Amino acid sequence: MPLSPLARSLALIVALLAVVSLVAQFTASQITHPDEGLFATLWRLGRFFTILTNAMVAVTFAVLTWRGRVASPVWLGGVALWIAITGVVYHLLLAATDSQTTVIGWWANIGVHTAVPLSTFAWWLAFAPRRGLSVTAAALWMLWPTIYVCYALARGQMDGIYPYFFTDPNKVGWSGVVTWIVILATAFFVAGLAQIALARIIRHR
């Protein structure tokens, strides 16, 4: 289905917002770690769900803008869910422990944790196709978080650095890691079901 001119223009804005936020995050990271080279910074940032999911938003909405057509309802719904959960988890669990030392770092945080999640979900609500979303979609939407957790734990086992306290067995123990994985997996699934219910309510208005 072709995108309307308004939907296409706003998709471009979402893509640019994600790109600008990621660039700001990269710049803030290099300021904080001046001894790191380009690839070292990319490798370190690449361990975070926030960064990877913002990059997913940037690519998805850039492709939407370029093609001028909507993507799969399941994929768009998943991207909207993943980035929305990114913002929610940050503000509920991580914001209090995150102290930025630079102005650009502060702006980058707002971008990747607030502006991009809000704008992406708002675009999904306004323009994304939602017909055919079901419990199966909610189950499929758990694939990316599952893949990410396996990746984060594998990286942590290799270099001893874990991106979040709830994935760090040195802080919460392996039983704590498992508990947090179950809690977050349940949250993703329930949020996915709520998103599908919202999609059906909007569609039938």
Side-chain angles (χ1 to χ4, degrees), residues 113-136:
H113 295 118
T114 306
V116 174
L118 287 175
S119 62
T120 302
F121 201 80
W123 193 96
W124 179 82
L125 283 174
F127 303 111
R130 294 178 289 271
R131 188 175 301 278
L133 293 179
S134 65
V135 175
T136 301

Side-chain angles (χ1 to χ4, degrees), residues 73-74 78 81 132-143 189 192-193 196:
V74 174
L81 175 68
L133 293 179
S134 65
V135 175
T136 301
L140 288 173
W141 291 340
M142 295 178 68
L143 284 176
F189 186 65
L193 293 178
I196 291 167

Side-chain angles (χ1 to χ4, degrees), residues 182-202:
V182 171
I183 291 171
L184 292 173
T186 302
F188 267 100
F189 186 65
V190 171
L193 293 178
Q195 183 173 334
I196 291 167
L198 178 61
R200 292 178 177 177
I201 290 171
I202 294 173

Side-chain angles (χ1 to χ4, degrees), residues 95-162:
T97 63
D98 188 6
S99 57
Q100 288 296 320
T101 58
T102 64
V103 172
I104 193 169
W106 184 76
W107 279 108
N109 252 0
I110 291 177
V112 298
H113 295 118
T114 306
V116 174
L118 287 175
S119 62
T120 302
F121 201 80
W123 193 96
W124 179 82
L125 283 174
F127 303 111
R130 294 178 289 271
R131 188 175 301 278
L133 293 179
S134 65
V135 175
T136 301
L140 288 173
W141 291 340
M142 295 178 68
L143 284 176
W144 166 232
T146 301
I147 291 170
Y148 171 77
V149 166
C150 294
Y151 159 75
L153 292 177
R155 279 193 59 164
Q157 286 292 291
M158 288 190 295
D159 60 17
I161 301 173
Y162 296 87

